[in-house]
């Protein structure tokens, strides 16, 4: 189980968010089936999300208004395949099917990955997603990477594209820093620039491996606002529950 919640402070505004993900291994299935229950963003295109996907005017409202999905996941680890068949708990109920494939490898200090996804929702329509990423370990405590993702939504007739450039720095056993620069675009055929943003995220292990505090200042520049910068500060807690964390 992973639970994450917190507040986002902006220009004289304050909002909150609440996200969770629960995965239960089903017995006697040769480690191939999971029951997955999680909160889900309103947008099917994560490339378009600039902040927290479940952001509302408060943490409580975010928890109450969160879209929840429940699915049975079939996993085929040797080929990097997983298939979700489930329902989005809304009114009316929204059945869906998702298929994901992931490949990757590590060679020395370099690593790469790519993933493909196709999905179909009864009410939201069908879509497809592709992502690819490359990472380089400068040292055991410092790494950098870049990734590219694109989502196509048939119902909207739009492509959403995002490029991320990041640096990860582990200061010591309890403290980590991350730096990220992102460019977001969307459109039908000619992809137009929507926005770009950059942020710094500080993480600290507060208790063992399962309670994590996070601080993330961010600057966001939107095309519709003539790229005037907007500052925000995200303060959050992450709780990780499971055998690998509660040791």
């Amino acid at each position: 189980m992973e639970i994450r919640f917190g507040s986002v402070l902006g220009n004289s505004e304050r909002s909150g968010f609440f996200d969770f993900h629960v995965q239960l291994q089903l017995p006697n299935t040769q480690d191939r089936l999971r029951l997955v229950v999680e909160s889900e963003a309103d947008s099917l295109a994560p490339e378009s999300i600039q902040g927290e996907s479940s952001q509302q005017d408060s943490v409580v409202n975010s928890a109450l208004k969160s879209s929840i999905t429940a699915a049975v996941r079939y996993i085929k680890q040797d080929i990097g395949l997983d298939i979700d068949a489930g329902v989005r708990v809304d009114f009316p109920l929204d059945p869906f099917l998702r298929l994901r494939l992931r490949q990757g490898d590590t060679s020395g200090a370099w690593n790469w990955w790519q993933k493909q996804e196709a999905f179909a929702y009864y009410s939201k329509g069908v879509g497809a997603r592709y992502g690819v990423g490359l990472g380089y370990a400068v040292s055991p405590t410092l790494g950098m990477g870049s990734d590219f993702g694109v989502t196509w939504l048939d119902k909207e007739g739009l492509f959403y594209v995002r490029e991320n450039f990041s640096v990860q720095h582990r200061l010591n056993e309890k403290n980590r820093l991350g730096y990220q620069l992102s460019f977001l675009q969307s459109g039908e055929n000619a992809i137009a620039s929507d926005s770009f943003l950059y942020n710094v995220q500080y993480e600290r292990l507060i208790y063992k491996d399962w309670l994590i505090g996070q601080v993330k200042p961010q600057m966001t520049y939107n095309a519709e606002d003539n790229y005037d910068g907007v500052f925000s500060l995200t303060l959050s807690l992450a709780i990780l529950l499971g055998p690998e964390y509660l040791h």
Side-chain angles (χ1 to χ4, degrees):
M1 177 184 292
E2 177 179 352
I3 302 171
R4 184 169 174 265
F5 60 92
S7 295
V8 182
L9 311 177
N11 297 339
S12 70
E13 296 180 356
R14 179 173 180 170
S15 57
F17 65 93
F18 181 90
D19 297 311
F20 70 92
H21 174 90
V22 180
Q23 189 170 166
L24 175 66
Q25 178 180 340
L26 299 181
N28 303 320
T29 61
Q30 298 182 340
D31 200 25
R32 290 186 178 180
L33 288 182
R34 302 281 195 278
L35 175 64
V36 180
V37 180
E38 58 190 347
S39 58
E40 186 174 83
D42 289 334
S43 173
L44 294 179
E47 293 80 7
S48 66
I49 297 175
Q50 299 178 359
E52 303 300 330
S53 61
S54 63
Q55 199 166 317
Q56 298 286 340
D57 55 2
S58 69
V59 176
V60 174
N61 282 340
S62 173
L64 293 175
K65 295 180 180 180
S66 291
S67 297
I68 299 173
T69 61
V72 174
R73 175 171 297 169
Y74 172 78
I75 300 172
K76 184 74 171 168
Q77 293 183 347
D78 54 343
I79 60 173
L81 170 69
D82 64 71
I83 300 173
D84 291 352
V87 63
R88 186 170 180 265
V89 182
D90 205 341
F91 185 78
L93 296 178
D94 191 2
F96 67 86
L97 182 67
R98 289 191 298 240
L99 184 149
R100 300 185 184 100
L101 273 170
R102 182 182 177 99
Q103 306 86 35
D105 197 10
T106 299
S107 179
W110 293 92
N111 69 85
W112 70 273
W113 57 264
Q114 69 171 355
K115 55 185 178 181
Q116 307 87 36
E117 179 178 346
F119 51 86
Y121 286 74
Y122 179 76
S123 65
K124 291 191 170 186
V126 302
R129 179 177 298 121
Y130 175 77
V132 61
L134 180 67
Y136 178 74
V138 180
S139 70
T141 60
L142 181 64
M144 59 183 62
S146 175
D147 62 87
F148 167 87
V150 56
T151 293
W152 169 73
L153 300 180
D154 176 65
K155 198 167 186 178
E156 298 180 10
L158 294 176
F159 288 90
Y160 295 91
V161 179
R162 184 176 186 132
E163 302 93 29
N164 298 316
F165 303 90
S166 61
V167 176
Q168 302 295 326
H169 187 195
R170 182 164 59 85
L171 303 177
N172 50 47
E173 291 184 356
K174 289 185 174 292
N175 299 282
R176 293 177 297 208
L177 274 174
Y179 312 87
Q180 181 169 298
L181 171 65
S182 301
F183 298 91
L184 290 68
Q185 300 94 38
S186 67
E188 296 182 7
N189 297 315
I191 304 298
S193 175
D194 287 338
S195 61
F196 70 93
L197 59 88
Y198 56 86
N199 60 55
V200 178
Q201 178 162 299
Y202 168 69
E203 292 188 346
R204 178 177 174 82
L205 294 177
I206 298 174
Y207 187 75
K208 294 187 176 180
D209 289 340
W210 63 268
L211 183 60
I212 304 169
Q214 301 170 331
V215 179
K216 185 175 72 173
Q218 177 173 300
M219 289 295 297
T220 305
Y221 301 83
N222 285 304
E224 60 184 19
D225 296 327
N226 296 317
Y227 295 105
D228 289 335
V230 177
F231 175 78
S232 63
L233 176 65
T234 302
L235 307 173
S236 59
L237 282 175
I239 301 172
L240 310 176
L241 303 177
E244 62 268 42
Y245 304 111
L246 302 178
H247 55 71

